[in-house]
Amino acid sequence: MIIVKTLEEIELMRESALVVSKTLGMLAKEVKPGVSSLYLDKLAEEFIRDHGAVPGFLGLYDFPNTLCMSPNAQVVHGIPNDTPFAEGDIISIDCGAVKNGYYGDHAYTFAIGEIAPEVEKLLKITKESLYVGIRELKVGKRVGDVGYAIQEYCEAHGYGVVRELVGHGLGKTMHEDPEMPNYGRRGRGKKFVEGMTVAIEPMINLGTRRIEQLDDGWTILTADRKPSAHFEHDVAIVNGKPELLSTFAYIYDALVIESDEEDEFRAKELVL
């Protein structure tokens, strides 16, 4: 069942999402060769608590950490460890936080130093596909419209679109209806309505779409061990169209990147 939110609830969810956004922005300055994912995990937990929230992933389904940290061929759900990052790695950082009883949950894939051109293109196309999908989140459209748009955009570049892992509704629990696959057929699936809140998150592989799971019961990686990228935003339907609750602006501010990619999805200017 889709849980529709009031405008007041959506504003509370925005606060939760922005805690995650600020956490990712803080981490952006720390992602560099020689740093470990476990070190970043500890920074994130402290930052989230200092901002009046609690980590959304820690203990959820018995997950042991604050962040899902998935480097290179890992798709999602990687467990932080002491292995230092190396020049040329990529790392997906997926973060959740709970504030005012609502979840924020989004992700960004960072390049560590100079990365291979084909991997840089993978990150670019995956992030672009996120916004391609968000544009379809309008009253009267359906889940399949979002999935189809993402799938078509990524497969046109020869990439594998993961099927087994999907986006989801978001609210007082981490996973609400509807599931939001990154593949699909236009006009199929649940219809979008005013007040819906979802997490859209393309998980796109450089090679095969097929995946495997490690014995830790969490870590998902590509079957061919080629790199995978993951970007995620929290989005609400307001006045019939998509409005971002999360932002990458704090990341871009930290990395001195100029971008207008989010402008069309904002009802008002974001103040950093």
Side-chain angles (χ1 to χ4, degrees):
M1 180 182 71
I2 293 172
I3 302 175
V4 173
K5 312 301 190 302
T6 65
L7 288 175
E8 291 76 14
E9 288 176 310
I10 288 171
E11 288 307 309
L12 291 175
M13 289 190 64
R14 193 191 311 275
E15 289 186 32
S16 302
L18 289 178
V19 170
V20 178
S21 301
K22 291 173 183 178
T23 303
L24 292 174
M26 177 274 295
L27 293 173
K29 298 178 182 179
E30 304 292 336
V31 177
K32 61 189 76 172
V35 171
S36 75
S37 56
L38 191 59
Y39 171 74
L40 297 183
D41 187 75
K42 293 174 181 176
L43 289 182
E45 179 177 358
E46 181 178 351
F47 187 90
I48 290 168
R49 295 188 188 280
D50 285 348
H51 283 75
V54 296
F57 295 170
L58 183 62
L60 184 69
Y61 311 126
D62 294 326
F63 188 74
N65 292 88
T66 293
L67 302 174
C68 291
M69 303 282 283
S70 308
N72 302 320
Q74 293 185 17
V75 182
V76 288
H77 301 165
I79 297 174
N81 58 51
D82 287 322
T83 303
F85 300 140
E87 181 86 11
D89 284 344
I90 60 172
I91 179 73
S92 165
I93 303 182
D94 193 356
C95 180
V98 183
K99 186 175 182 179
N100 302 317
Y102 290 91
Y103 277 85
D105 166 31
H106 60 107
Y108 192 91
T109 300
F110 294 88
I112 300 174
E114 294 293 324
I115 61 175
E118 64 268 25
V119 180
E120 186 174 11
K121 182 182 177 183
L122 171 68
L123 268 58
K124 176 178 180 291
I125 298 301
T126 303
K127 182 153 65 71
E128 289 175 356
S129 78
L130 172 60
Y131 297 106
V132 167
I134 290 172
R135 287 189 190 99
E136 300 294 319
L137 191 76
K138 299 175 181 178
V139 167
K141 289 206 168 191
R142 294 181 180 270
V143 166
D145 296 319
V146 172
Y148 175 86
I150 293 171
Q151 179 182 9
E152 181 183 49
Y153 193 79
C154 293
E155 289 185 348
H157 292 274
Y159 299 144
V161 179
V162 174
R163 302 292 200 275
E164 295 86 349
L165 302 155
V166 299
H168 50 89
L170 188 70
K172 288 187 175 180
T173 59
M174 174 65 75
H175 298 109
E176 294 183 353
D177 281 341
E179 290 191 343
M180 297 290 297
N182 298 305
Y183 63 94
R185 297 178 63 182
R186 288 202 177 279
R188 298 294 181 90
K190 293 185 177 180
K191 186 178 287 188
F192 299 137
V193 297
E194 182 77 8
M196 282 183 63
T197 50
V198 300
I200 298 177
E201 51 178 320
M203 290 159 273
I204 309 300
N205 301 339
L206 184 63
T208 181
R209 69 176 178 83
R210 303 192 181 282
I211 59 173
E212 298 175 358
Q213 186 174 47
L214 294 184
D215 291 340
D216 63 18
W218 283 102
T219 306
I220 303 294
L221 70 165
T222 58
D224 59 8
R225 303 305 190 264
K226 290 183 179 180
S228 181
H230 176 213
F231 292 88
E232 179 181 16
H233 266 313
D234 300 342
V235 194
I237 298 181
V238 180
N239 296 324
K241 59 186 181 180
E243 184 174 316
L244 285 181
L245 304 180
S246 56
T247 182
F248 295 149
Y250 297 99
I251 295 172
Y252 296 156
D253 187 52
L255 300 180
V256 195
I257 295 172
E258 292 188 7
S259 173
D260 61 0
E261 66 194 14
E262 297 180 1
D263 290 357
E264 66 182 285
F265 307 112
R266 295 212 173 277
K268 54 187 176 181
E269 183 177 356
L270 179 70
V271 179
L272 293 180

